[in-house]
Amino acid sequence: CSYKYRRTGFLRDRYTIPSLQSRTVLYNSVIDDDLTIMINGLPGLMAAETAKVCLERGYKLIPMGFTGKDPPEYTYTVIGSNGKSQQLQLIEGPGVNNDASAILSSIKNSYPNCILIDYTHPSAVLSNIACYVENNCDFVMGTTGVDAPAMKKEFESGSNYAVIAPNMAKQIVALQYALDQMSNRFPNSYKNYKLKVTESHQSSKADTSGTAKAIVSHLTKLNGESFQVDEIEKIRTPEAQIAFGVPSDALGGHAFHTYSLTSEDGSVSFELQHNVCGRRIYAEGTADAVMFLDSIRRSHPEKRLYNMIDVLEAGGMN
């Protein structure tokens, strides 16, 4: 594949950035006509689902995106549920390709109003942000497992705009915000109630859910007790997941969480659940974040870094 060549003149000799006029736009964009989207992280599952949602909404996809080192294929075909499809060229990204910044510069010149979506690997995030900052590219990042202060420090050196959030599911974020407000207004209202937390994710997820940890931080304000992360029960085996209520066809991608607060004598209990099958909810939230960011950046506000709470408060959702 030509994208693996790394030498002077790479862009000139090996690749010509296509313009929107040189390809077929599948249908009209639901947002500003000059907005284009670059999906980084394919063929990863979250990047793939997000690309699908963007295509279905009518967003104009830039026909290329960054990927990791030595991907199985250097092309990826996005297929929407509406039957529309588009093939994207995959290019090894920052951190594994010395030409990545030059490539992104050329893409930015061809698509000046682009927004990048990043669902790459945690190990690639800081080098990706540095590349986005260097080329003044606005972006939405949902990649998890990265040190937040380090991300913020890398981002602050630039002038571009971004939405960065560990959870792009707007309904779950709204729930987290509501619990945060409740715990601040009514601390210790569940004093002496014992907290139990169980979460199930696909077996490939080794760490404890960040969403579970965030919600626990609110619930412990309500019951006034300490609760350690290692007290969260993680379910990762298929047999236990099915017993927990996960459908067999969702074992490869799900997020089932149950939180319970029980009184000392066991006579009163409260239970909160949020169960997600698949990745669609996160992809839809990501697409909403793109719409929000495109709207915000046009007024050139002083604030540059946003999260999903900002998206919710702005009503920037479909």
Side-chain angles (χ1 to χ4, degrees):
C1 174
S2 60
Y3 302 116
K4 299 181 74 174
Y5 284 82
R6 297 192 179 97
R7 59 183 177 79
T8 304
F10 171 87
L11 285 172
R12 181 183 66 251
D13 298 340
R14 286 287 175 178
Y15 197 73
T16 301
I17 305 296
S19 67
L20 285 173
Q21 288 73 28
S22 67
R23 65 183 179 90
T24 301
V25 178
L26 298 177
Y27 50 92
N28 291 332
S29 174
V30 295
I31 50 179
D32 294 287
D33 289 338
D34 59 347
L35 173 66
T36 51
I37 310 298
M38 180 178 180
I39 307 289
N40 295 335
L42 292 167
L45 296 175
M46 263 312 309
E49 188 67 25
T50 303
K52 178 180 176 181
V53 167
C54 289
L55 186 67
E56 291 170 355
R57 288 194 182 188
Y59 293 14
K60 299 172 184 175
L61 300 183
I62 294 174
M64 68 205 75
F66 286 143
T67 188
K69 184 175 177 60
D70 297 325
E73 300 288 342
Y74 281 84
T75 60
Y76 183 88
T77 301
V78 183
I79 302 176
S81 60
N82 51 14
K84 302 295 183 180
S85 65
Q86 183 178 338
Q87 187 176 81
L88 308 181
Q89 300 289 338
L90 304 184
I91 307 168
E92 292 177 347
V96 296
N97 182 357
N98 294 331
D99 294 306
S101 184
I103 293 170
L104 185 57
S105 176
S106 185
I107 291 172
K108 180 69 184 290
N109 288 335
S110 295
Y111 303 97
N113 292 307
C114 64
I115 288 179
L116 282 51
I117 294 176
D118 189 296
Y119 275 111
T120 56
H121 190 273
S123 63
V125 164
L126 295 181
S127 58
N128 286 359
I129 293 177
C131 185
Y132 303 161
V133 166
E134 181 181 357
N135 291 284
N136 197 32
C137 291
D138 304 325
F139 64 94
V140 174
M141 178 171 283
T143 306
T144 60
V146 187
D147 180 56
M151 294 169 66
K152 185 177 180 181
K153 181 179 179 180
E154 194 69 60
F155 175 75
E156 285 177 343
S157 63
S159 59
N160 51 338
Y161 294 91
V163 174
I164 301 178
N167 192 326
M168 289 289 180
K170 52 186 180 284
Q171 295 86 353
I172 295 175
V173 173
L175 174 63
Q176 289 179 241
Y177 185 76
L179 288 171
D180 181 39
Q181 295 296 302
M182 179 180 175
S183 66
N184 288 327
R185 293 192 64 185
F186 311 117
N188 298 315
S189 54
Y190 288 78
K191 188 174 178 60
N192 297 324
Y193 277 66
K194 182 174 178 58
L195 175 63
K196 180 181 179 183
V197 182
T198 307
E199 58 95 335
S200 174
H201 286 257
Q202 57 276 6
S203 59
S204 60
K205 182 176 177 60
D207 60 320
T208 302
S209 163
T211 300
K213 290 188 283 188
I215 289 181
V216 162
S217 71
H218 307 319
L219 295 178
T220 52
K221 290 182 184 178
L222 291 172
N223 76 345
E225 296 182 5
S226 63
F227 189 91
Q228 303 303 315
V229 171
D230 59 10
E231 295 181 71
I232 299 174
E233 181 184 356
K234 296 186 297 182
I235 300 177
R236 296 294 184 269
T237 63
E239 297 80 8
Q241 290 170 339
I242 290 174
F244 192 54
V246 180
S248 58
D249 60 357
L251 293 176
H254 69 276
F256 275 44
H257 292 211
T258 297
Y259 313 83
S260 64
L261 286 162
T262 306
S263 63
E264 286 184 298
D265 62 3
S267 63
V268 181
S269 65
F270 296 85
E271 189 172 275
L272 172 67
Q273 289 186 349
H274 54 90
N275 299 334
V276 176
C277 295
R279 298 171 174 83
R280 182 85 183 187
I281 188 174
Y282 309 105
E284 289 178 341
T286 305
D288 290 336
V290 167
M291 179 181 291
F292 163 83
L293 189 61
D294 185 51
S295 175
I296 286 292
R297 66 180 181 170
R298 292 173 186 270
S299 61
H300 306 289
E302 183 177 346
K303 180 177 178 179
R304 297 172 45 235
L305 182 59
Y306 299 87
N307 58 34
M308 287 303 288
I309 295 295
D310 296 308
V311 177
L312 286 165
E313 289 180 336
M317 300 178 291
N318 275 356

